[in-house]
């Protein structure tokens, strides 16, 4: 068989069988989901946010991902559905009093229990370590265990008292089926918001392009008599006639509005002094004789 030294090969050494499927350690998977950021793979630290699919991120990593507009930006499939900071919810977590963190292991000679979670459910006290299902409310960002939501059924948040609906509940680090359901809800929600924005824009355009309502005519545009505007009427009523007739000025104005108005010279009005009449250009004193032909007529001459 080509083996020197008289060795006898066995079947598993000569025949290659199918590769064994590698099994993922459940404990390692839970630690990766609940203790590390899904985008930067760094340890989760406050402030922590969750996307609409229930994945956990550091808020700093999300902000850097959204602000990075370079063409060489690495496209992360985990956060590809996050287009704005509005697509994530900042979590309001309850600290676990039994968690000591890095303070109890400063010398490096102490066992770190990864199953001891940093946060717990504020209602039933379950640790958020992946052993129990947790959810977050989109309306307020408070985090509870699913057991607490089932045992205490209410439409108001247990922690802050803000109302919520069933659509606002997002399962954290759920199964594939739960993620698909959340993805469908996310697409429907975004489509609905897009249609609402289009309706608002169309209404704004209609209000701009729509002609203004006809304004009511002002007092100067009111029509009297034969339909002629009042501002086009020139009423000259002499004081002498009004005194002789003994009628009020309003009656004279209405009566004169129906008759064609005629312009009268001030110099012809009776009861006016000569000094008053000399103010106007129609007075005889304001008129000048025509200059001889040899005088150059300029503007300063008059």
């Amino acid at each position: 068989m080509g083996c020197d030294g008289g060795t006898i090969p066995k079947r598993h050494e000569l025949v290659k069988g199918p590769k064994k499927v590698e099994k993922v350690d459940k404990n390692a998977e839970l630690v990766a989901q609940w203790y590390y950021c899904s985008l930067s793979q760094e340890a989760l630290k406050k402030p922590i946010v969750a996307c609409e699919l229930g994945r956990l991120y550091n808020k700093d990593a999300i902000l850097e991902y959204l602000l990075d507009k370079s063409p060489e930006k690495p496209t992360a499939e985990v956060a590809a559905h996050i287009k704005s900071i509005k697509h994530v919810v900042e979590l309001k977590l309850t600290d676990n009093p039994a968690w000591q963190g890095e303070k109890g292991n400063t010398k490096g000679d102490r066992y770190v229990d990864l199953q001891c979670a940093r946060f717990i459910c504020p209602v039933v006290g379950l640790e958020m370590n992946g052993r129990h299902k947790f959810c977050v409310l989109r309306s307020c960002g408070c985090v509870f265990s699913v057991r607490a939501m089932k045992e205490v059924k209410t439409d108001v948040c247990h922690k802050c008292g803000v109302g919520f609906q069933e659509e606002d509940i997002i399962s954290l680090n759920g199964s594939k089926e739960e993620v698909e359901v959340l993805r469908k809800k996310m697409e429907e929600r975004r489509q609905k918001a897009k249609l609402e924005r289009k309706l608002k824009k169309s209404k704004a355009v209609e209000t701009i392009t729509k002609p203004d309502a006809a304004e009511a005519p002002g007092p100067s545009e009111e029509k009297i008599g034969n339909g002629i505007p009042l501002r086009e009427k020139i009423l000259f009523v002499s004081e002498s006639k009004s005194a002789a007739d003994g009628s009020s000025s309003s009656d004279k104005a209405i009566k004169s509005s129906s008759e064609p108005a005629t312009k009268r010279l001030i110099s012809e009005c009776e009861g006016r002094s000569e000094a008053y009449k000399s103010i106007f250009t129609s007075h005889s004193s304001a008129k000048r004789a025509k200059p001889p032909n040899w005088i150059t007529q300029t503007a300063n001459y008059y």
Side-chain angles (χ1 to χ4, degrees), residues 142-177:
C142 296
V143 179
F144 303 97
S145 62
V146 177
R147 182 186 298 179
M149 298 297 291
K150 289 181 179 180
E151 291 180 357
V152 186
K153 294 183 179 181
T154 179
D155 296 337
V156 180
C157 177
H158 303 300
K159 191 173 182 180
C160 61
V162 177
F164 67 92
Q165 299 178 357
E166 188 177 356
E167 298 177 355
D168 297 332
I169 301 175
I170 299 176
S171 300
L172 297 177
N173 293 328
S175 59
K176 294 182 178 180
E177 292 78 9

Side-chain angles (χ1 to χ4, degrees), residues 189-223:
R189 194 183 304 113
R190 293 185 181 182
Q191 188 68 20
K192 184 179 180 180
K194 188 176 180 180
L195 293 175
E196 289 179 356
R197 288 194 298 267
K198 286 184 178 180
L199 289 175
K200 288 182 180 180
K201 287 183 180 180
S202 61
K203 288 181 179 179
V205 172
E206 287 178 0
T207 53
I208 294 173
T209 56
K210 186 178 180 180
D212 297 336
E215 298 180 355
S220 61
E221 297 180 356
E222 293 180 357
K223 296 181 180 181

Side-chain angles (χ1 to χ4, degrees), residues 29 43 80 125 162 170 178 208 269 287 296:
E29 186 178 4
V162 177
I170 299 176
E178 293 175 346
I208 294 173
C269 295
K287 295 181 180 179
T296 306

Side-chain angles (χ1 to χ4, degrees), residues 34-179:
W34 293 94
Y35 291 87
Y36 294 93
C37 174
S38 300
L39 182 61
S40 63
Q41 301 303 321
E42 296 179 357
L44 288 173
K45 58 182 180 180
K46 290 185 177 180
I48 302 174
V49 297
C51 65
E52 294 175 295
L53 301 182
R55 296 167 183 161
L56 303 180
Y57 309 88
N58 286 329
K59 191 174 182 179
D60 298 340
I62 293 295
L63 293 175
E64 292 177 2
Y65 172 78
L66 294 175
L67 293 174
D68 187 7
K69 298 181 180 180
S70 59
E72 299 179 357
K73 174 182 177 180
T75 304
E77 296 181 359
V78 179
H81 60 284
I82 301 176
K83 306 297 181 182
S84 172
I85 194 64
K86 296 180 181 180
H87 295 161
V88 295
V89 182
E90 186 171 349
L91 304 183
K92 297 179 182 179
L93 300 165
T94 305
D95 295 331
N96 185 6
W99 185 77
Q100 297 181 359
E102 298 178 356
K103 296 180 180 179
N105 193 27
T106 55
K107 297 180 180 180
D109 56 351
R110 186 174 178 179
Y111 172 73
V112 179
D113 187 8
L114 295 177
Q115 300 302 322
C116 182
R118 182 179 177 182
F119 309 106
I120 61 173
C121 174
V123 179
V124 294
L126 295 176
E127 294 184 354
M128 198 172 71
N129 54 8
R131 302 284 182 180
H132 311 280
K133 292 184 177 182
F134 275 74
C135 61
V136 60
L137 304 180
R138 290 180 61 253
S139 56
C140 59
C142 296
V143 179
F144 303 97
S145 62
V146 177
R147 182 186 298 179
M149 298 297 291
K150 289 181 179 180
E151 291 180 357
V152 186
K153 294 183 179 181
T154 179
D155 296 337
V156 180
C157 177
H158 303 300
K159 191 173 182 180
C160 61
V162 177
F164 67 92
Q165 299 178 357
E166 188 177 356
E167 298 177 355
D168 297 332
I169 301 175
I170 299 176
S171 300
L172 297 177
N173 293 328
S175 59
K176 294 182 178 180
E177 292 78 9
E178 293 175 346
V179 171

